[in-house]
Amino acid sequence: MGAFSKNKIMDYISNDNMLERQIDTDVQVTNNGIDLTLEKVERLTSPGYIDFSNEERELSGTEEMSFDERDWIFLEKGTYKVTYNEIVSIPKDAIALARTRSSLLRCGASIGTGVWDAGYRGRSSSLLYVSNDNGIYLKRNARVLQLVFFDLDTETESYSGTYQNENCG
């Protein structure tokens, strides 16, 4: 029990389709997890509404930003929504925690994300915080986040919330 090794991750990818739409499995699967890559960046355009029951939940509006002709995007200091290329399927006996890749941190940016629940499947989105007063340039498909997987003591019910199968179309 504990964090998944590279071998265990590769077994799940090979046998259970844990990872789809990846760019290069050999590069993205590390000794400690899976690197996710940048597919798109959106600017937040409205407030969000969060309540206890989710009956009145309303996500913030967004507007997609454009990469330039060389696939670079410049982001000023601020908060952005990012979506990854990869579709991830979390096993029912595991969870994943996501961490900002250290190179992104060293450039003055970080990514905030929640727990990736057992049984979740989707192409997730997260918040990108650019703290650097000078901004940051990101290239489409840059490796920006690392998912680290952990065993649960028993298999559980699959995640069945609103975000199941998000962005898979």
Side-chain angles (χ1 to χ4, degrees):
M1 301 278 293
F4 285 20
S5 66
K6 182 175 186 173
N7 289 340
K8 187 169 184 171
I9 293 169
M10 292 301 288
D11 286 345
Y12 271 109
I13 290 172
S14 297
N15 300 323
D16 298 320
N17 294 325
M18 185 168 77
L19 188 64
E20 303 168 55
R21 290 189 46 164
Q22 66 269 30
I23 295 168
D24 186 336
T25 304
D26 291 334
V27 172
Q28 289 179 253
V29 176
T30 69
N31 287 334
N32 303 307
I34 297 174
D35 289 343
L36 299 187
T37 60
L38 182 65
E39 194 258 343
K40 71 178 177 179
V41 179
E42 297 171 89
R43 182 182 340 268
L44 300 173
T45 60
S46 68
Y49 297 85
I50 304 295
D51 66 325
F52 179 78
S53 67
N54 291 333
E55 290 175 15
E56 298 178 81
R57 174 177 51 196
E58 184 177 325
L59 301 181
S60 299
T62 63
E63 174 183 276
E64 189 169 346
M65 299 174 69
S66 298
F67 290 87
D68 68 18
E69 64 281 349
R70 295 181 352 210
D71 278 340
W72 287 96
I73 192 167
F74 176 74
L75 302 175
E76 296 177 350
K77 185 175 184 178
T79 304
Y80 304 87
K81 180 181 173 184
V82 294
T83 302
Y84 308 106
N85 287 306
E86 296 76 19
I87 296 172
V88 178
S89 297
I90 309 295
K92 289 195 283 186
D93 60 351
I95 62 167
L97 300 178
R99 301 298 301 165
T100 306
R101 290 196 72 238
S102 62
S103 296
L104 190 62
L105 289 170
R106 288 178 172 95
C107 291
S110 60
I111 295 177
T113 185
V115 172
W116 295 46
D117 291 325
Y120 165 84
R121 179 180 183 275
R123 200 163 56 89
S124 192
S125 299
S126 302
L127 284 181
L128 171 67
Y129 307 102
V130 178
S131 302
N132 185 334
D133 290 332
N134 301 300
I136 189 171
Y137 284 92
L138 293 175
K139 193 154 190 172
R140 185 187 319 268
N141 301 327
R143 293 180 293 141
V144 293
L145 186 84
Q146 184 180 45
L147 275 183
V148 180
F149 298 85
F150 295 91
D151 286 306
L152 295 175
D153 60 352
T154 60
E155 190 172 291
T156 187
E157 293 179 29
S158 285
Y159 170 80
S160 60
T162 302
Y163 306 111
Q164 184 69 306
N165 294 308
E166 68 180 318
N167 301 311
C168 288

